[in-house]
Amino acid sequence: GDSVTQMEGPVTLSEEAFLTINCTYTATGYPSLFWYVQYPGEGLQLLLKATKADDKGSNKGFEATYRKETTSFHLEKGSVQVSDSAVYFCALSDPLNYGGSQGNLIFGKGTKLSVKP
Amino acid sequence: GAVVSQHPSWVICKSGTSVKIECRSLDFQATTMFWYRQFPKQSLMLMATSNEGSKATYEQGVEKDKFLINHASLTLSTLTVTSAHPEDSSFYICSVPGGAWRRETQYFGPGTRLLVL
């Protein structure tokens, strides 16, 4: 079945450091890929997404490129801030895997990022 | 963007009691809402799809008589954990799809943490 694997945390970085959070996936069809972020005490928010191969999603300085050849969607940011401290979830939505829940999101386990000043 | 609220944010109950969790879409009407469950350091797992005006659709392995879902209105869905046991202790999260036919952009509530003693 479809699945998402992302690097385990926690990840601790100093402010202005470069961030990479790895994410790979398996899917039967042509999934859309997402990164969600959960700030402390808040619900998950969509950070960025890509719907087809070679698409690059970007938002708030974060980027991720949909790599079909490596089945990856790694999250990157060139210079992290303390305010980026959160849990980041990689997810996919496979249109061939509807089941009883069209648009079902399949999540990775989440990676906690802590940025120190 | 859409705002989704959940109530309560956390609850502690005795084994054998029932607990009701509310999910409200504050910004727009939602004919569909999703209920997820998250164990510590695990992925979010879709439990069921709540449908306004019809029965909920449950994922494989989820007991529909255990987790009662009622989509009372276009802005409210409730999840009732009946006869709760310690193994039901978890983090329950609802979401409202905000996109078009693929419903791939979901807006998440802040979650409800349930602890069954």
Side-chain angles (χ1 to χ4, degrees), chain B residues 5-63:
Chain B
S5 69
Q6 282 185 239
H7 178 80
S9 56
W10 62 272
V11 58
I12 302 174
C13 70
K14 293 182 179 180
S15 185
T17 61
S18 294
V19 175
K20 179 184 287 187
I21 303 170
E22 293 184 348
C23 176
R24 293 184 183 274
S25 176
L26 302 180
D27 277 7
F28 58 89
Q29 296 179 335
T31 57
T32 300
M33 295 183 182
F34 297 111
W35 285 97
Y36 292 84
R37 181 175 181 178
Q38 184 183 24
F39 291 103
K41 299 184 179 181
Q42 299 293 322
S43 301
L44 280 75
M45 300 296 294
L46 182 69
M47 298 174 64
T49 303
S50 174
N51 303 301
E52 193 271 337
S54 64
K55 293 182 180 180
T57 306
Y58 290 83
E59 296 301 300
Q60 190 173 10
V62 178
E63 299 175 61

Side-chain angles (χ1 to χ4, degrees), chain A residues 95-110:
Chain A
L96 297 184
N97 190 27
Y98 285 137
S101 51
Q102 186 174 7
N104 178 24
L105 285 170
I106 297 171
F107 286 89
K109 293 184 178 181

Side-chain angles (χ1 to χ4, degrees), chain A:
Chain A
D2 295 353
S3 66
V4 174
T5 303
Q6 63 181 103
M7 63 185 290
E8 293 191 19
V11 174
T12 303
L13 296 173
S14 297
E15 206 165 21
E16 300 183 1
F18 185 85
L19 169 71
T20 298
I21 300 178
N22 290 337
C23 173
T24 58
Y25 68 91
T26 59
T28 53
Y30 299 91
S32 294
L33 302 174
F34 308 84
W35 277 100
Y36 279 83
V37 58
Q38 186 174 31
Y39 298 104
E42 299 183 16
L44 275 76
Q45 303 172 25
L46 179 64
L47 179 60
L48 53 84
K49 69 177 183 181
T51 58
K52 61 183 187 296
D54 298 326
D55 269 3
K56 177 186 286 187
S58 61
N59 185 27
K60 300 181 180 181
F62 290 90
E63 292 183 343
T65 301
Y66 189 142
R67 301 287 189 198
K68 188 170 176 60
E69 63 276 15
T70 55
T71 62
S72 65
F73 193 56
H74 304 321
L75 182 68
E76 297 182 336
K77 185 174 184 180
S79 177
V80 293
Q81 305 300 313
V82 173
S83 57
D84 294 326
S85 298
V87 181
Y88 293 83
F89 292 89
C90 185
L92 71 81
S93 175
D94 188 346
L96 297 184
N97 190 27
Y98 285 137
S101 51
Q102 186 174 7
N104 178 24
L105 285 170
I106 297 171
F107 286 89
K109 293 184 178 181
T111 303
K112 184 176 182 179
L113 170 66
S114 296
V115 181
K116 306 298 183 184

